[in-house]
Amino acid sequence: MAASALLAAVSVASLNLCTDEYLLLLAKPSEIASVSFLSQDPQESPLWKLAQGHHANRGSLEDVLAKRPAVVLSMGGGGRASSLIASRLGIRAVDLRPVSKLEDVSWNLRAVADAIGDPGRARAWLKRLDYVRSTARSRQMDAIWIGGAGQTIAVPSVGADWMRLAGLKQRPLQGDRVSLETILVRPPAVLVQSRYRSGQFSRGAAWLSHPIVRNAKSRRVEVDGRGWTCMGPLVIPEIERLRSLIR
């Protein structure tokens, strides 16, 4: 069978927000059988416009069987039973890696491109990732990534690794939260503030509006927190933008 025919025949379903990211970035619309409902929510995914119009599922194999996918993407072990059922139905189950290191992003990009049947689809994203990794600054600025209620990024973690690629050294903080006292007494050189659900009223959002946070003696830059949820390829443009802001 010709390669073009194979590409035309592929149909891929994704069962969670983090696998949706890879599928929506690499697949053609005609190759997408289903994505999770979360990726169609503008509050959860920067790719929500790409996700619109596709069948939405709630993370179970049963939700997508009617769409007859050739491949199903899951992450973190979709369950032995689900993989067995998929195999018996002639569906290829691809379990992507939860991102705990930057190499996992490369692995997932390749795995999804291979599942689609066109390994070259991953090439542009792999090049962007390789470039930001190879051009990371040796000198880094003291920084704290901050989300609702003072949530921050652990050290060590893949989030701290991403920050390092932007030229920012995430400060280790007890309990992976930053206190108002820390911001007041030992403000970081750079405060990286997530915009995740910033327009939604909540205690976490209210915490970010505290005068101590608003008036912190730090250089403040904002990030799209939605892209940081999965720590996948959507963080790459965030790193590129952060670099341009903190030169």
Side-chain angles (χ1 to χ4, degrees):
M1 186 181 292
S4 59
L6 285 171
L7 289 175
V10 75
S11 177
V12 185
S14 166
L15 298 184
N16 74 44
L17 178 66
C18 294
T19 55
D20 291 343
E21 180 175 321
Y22 295 90
L23 184 60
L24 290 167
L25 290 176
L26 299 181
K28 298 175 182 177
S30 61
E31 296 165 340
I32 300 174
S34 182
V35 293
S36 81
F37 75 100
L38 287 173
S39 69
Q40 297 181 342
D41 183 347
Q43 296 272 25
E44 295 292 341
S45 175
L47 302 177
W48 65 273
K49 289 184 179 179
L50 292 178
Q52 291 296 312
H54 294 297
H55 175 267
N57 68 73
R58 291 191 169 268
S60 72
L61 180 62
E62 291 79 5
D63 281 350
V64 302
L65 291 179
K67 304 304 292 184
R68 299 180 180 273
V71 180
V72 170
L73 305 178
S74 60
M75 181 175 283
R80 187 178 180 86
S82 294
S83 295
L84 183 59
I85 293 169
S87 177
R88 287 179 175 175
L89 293 173
I91 301 171
R92 179 184 173 194
V94 178
D95 193 31
L96 302 185
R97 296 176 178 177
V99 177
S100 61
K101 55 186 183 297
L102 295 175
E103 289 76 11
D104 292 331
V105 179
S106 300
W107 192 93
N108 289 342
L109 285 165
R110 291 189 178 95
V112 174
D114 287 346
I116 292 169
D118 185 1
R121 301 273 187 93
R123 190 174 298 124
W125 283 99
L126 290 169
K127 283 185 176 180
R128 286 175 76 177
L129 178 55
D130 287 345
Y131 181 78
V132 295
R133 294 186 72 179
S134 65
T135 56
R137 300 175 183 175
S138 56
R139 295 185 62 185
Q140 298 175 356
M141 301 175 69
D142 172 49
I144 294 177
W145 192 100
I146 188 172
Q151 178 186 1
T152 192
I153 287 173
V155 179
S157 72
V158 69
D161 292 341
W162 279 121
M163 292 271 283
R164 178 181 56 79
L165 297 185
L168 300 169
K169 184 177 182 180
Q170 169 69 18
R171 187 189 298 178
L173 293 163
Q174 185 174 9
D176 301 332
R177 289 189 181 277
V178 57
S179 66
L180 293 173
E181 290 79 8
T182 295
I183 294 176
L184 180 64
V185 177
R186 289 188 60 223
V190 181
L191 194 62
V192 181
Q193 185 168 328
S194 168
R195 296 195 307 271
Y196 179 72
R197 291 188 174 271
S198 59
Q200 184 181 65
F201 179 78
S202 66
R203 284 188 178 181
W207 190 94
L208 290 170
S209 297
H210 192 284
I212 290 177
V213 179
R214 289 202 319 266
N215 300 321
K217 295 178 180 179
S218 303
R219 183 173 182 182
R220 189 185 305 266
V221 293
E222 291 189 340
V223 291
D224 186 345
R226 298 173 300 173
W228 294 73
T229 300
C230 298
M231 295 293 175
L234 286 180
V235 185
I236 298 173
E238 289 286 294
I239 299 309
E240 294 167 339
R241 188 176 63 83
L242 283 172
R243 283 184 175 185
S244 69
L245 291 174
I246 63 172
R247 277 180 189 165

